[in-house]
Amino acid sequence: MSASRIPPDVVFIGCAILMWLLSHFLTGLRFEMPMRGLISGAVLLSGLVVVFSAKASLAKHRTSGQPDIRVRSGITVLVTTGMYGFSRNPIYLGMAMLLVGWWGFLENWACILGVIAFTGLIDRYQIVPEEKVLQYVFGEDYKRYRSRVRRWL
């Protein structure tokens, strides 16, 4: 019951680099987006707001942001307010939004593969193990929370 051995930040950076590489090597898949800077910037800013707001909620409650069976003692509170009232994984959602903004900035259809890779890897190798830990630690409280708040959005 342990979370992924590759930190989510490393997965995020790896996918962003993959997207950059794809945009430079698959130039035939470029597209032009009207108001590229404005739209991409808005999505990037929104992603940052989601990430930092979710991290602030965790800090406010003095609890761990990465539940892992090995560090159960760091999981003190099941946070269900703020961004956690809309998504059970707002930090990962915000990271995915950052990658979507990056995709728009790069203007290349192939780059969507980075967003898909990130969400798939995080969902399977990070979120699923974390949810098992949360279920173990919080039991019925987590079950009720899970029934009313979606995993991503």
Side-chain angles (χ1 to χ4, degrees):
M1 260 203 294
S2 66
S4 172
R5 295 185 187 268
I6 301 173
D9 294 344
V10 173
V11 175
F12 170 77
I13 291 168
C15 288
I17 291 169
L18 169 68
M19 292 168 72
W20 181 81
L21 290 170
L22 289 170
S23 75
H24 280 74
F25 288 108
L26 299 175
T27 56
L29 294 174
R30 290 190 54 77
F31 63 87
E32 286 191 31
M33 185 170 63
M35 299 187 298
R36 169 184 150 205
L38 181 66
I39 294 170
S40 296
V43 174
L44 287 165
L45 182 60
S46 298
L48 285 173
V49 167
V50 169
V51 169
F52 286 112
S53 176
K55 287 188 178 206
S57 290
L58 293 174
K60 176 182 172 187
H61 290 90
R62 295 189 176 108
T63 192
S64 173
Q66 290 188 317
D68 188 316
I69 199 70
R70 295 167 294 186
V71 292
R72 277 195 316 254
S73 60
I75 308 166
T76 57
V77 176
L78 178 63
V79 179
T80 61
T81 58
M83 288 294 175
Y84 288 90
F86 301 100
S87 170
R88 293 196 316 259
N89 299 283
I91 295 173
Y92 302 142
L93 173 64
M95 291 172 145
M97 291 169 68
L98 289 168
L99 290 174
V100 169
W102 182 229
W103 171 46
F105 179 77
L106 293 171
E107 294 181 319
N108 190 304
W109 290 111
C111 295
I112 194 66
L113 293 174
V115 178
I116 293 167
F118 175 79
T119 55
L121 289 168
I122 290 296
D123 198 72
R124 180 168 182 187
Y125 296 107
Q126 196 70 36
I127 293 173
V128 169
E130 286 179 0
E131 287 185 337
K132 288 178 183 175
V133 172
L134 291 169
Q135 181 65 50
Y136 176 79
V137 173
F138 295 109
E140 283 301 311
D141 288 339
Y142 183 71
K143 189 175 180 182
R144 281 190 297 276
Y145 171 61
R146 195 179 68 217
S147 72
R148 69 173 197 275
V149 178
R150 296 175 64 107
R151 181 179 278 176
W152 284 92
L153 188 65

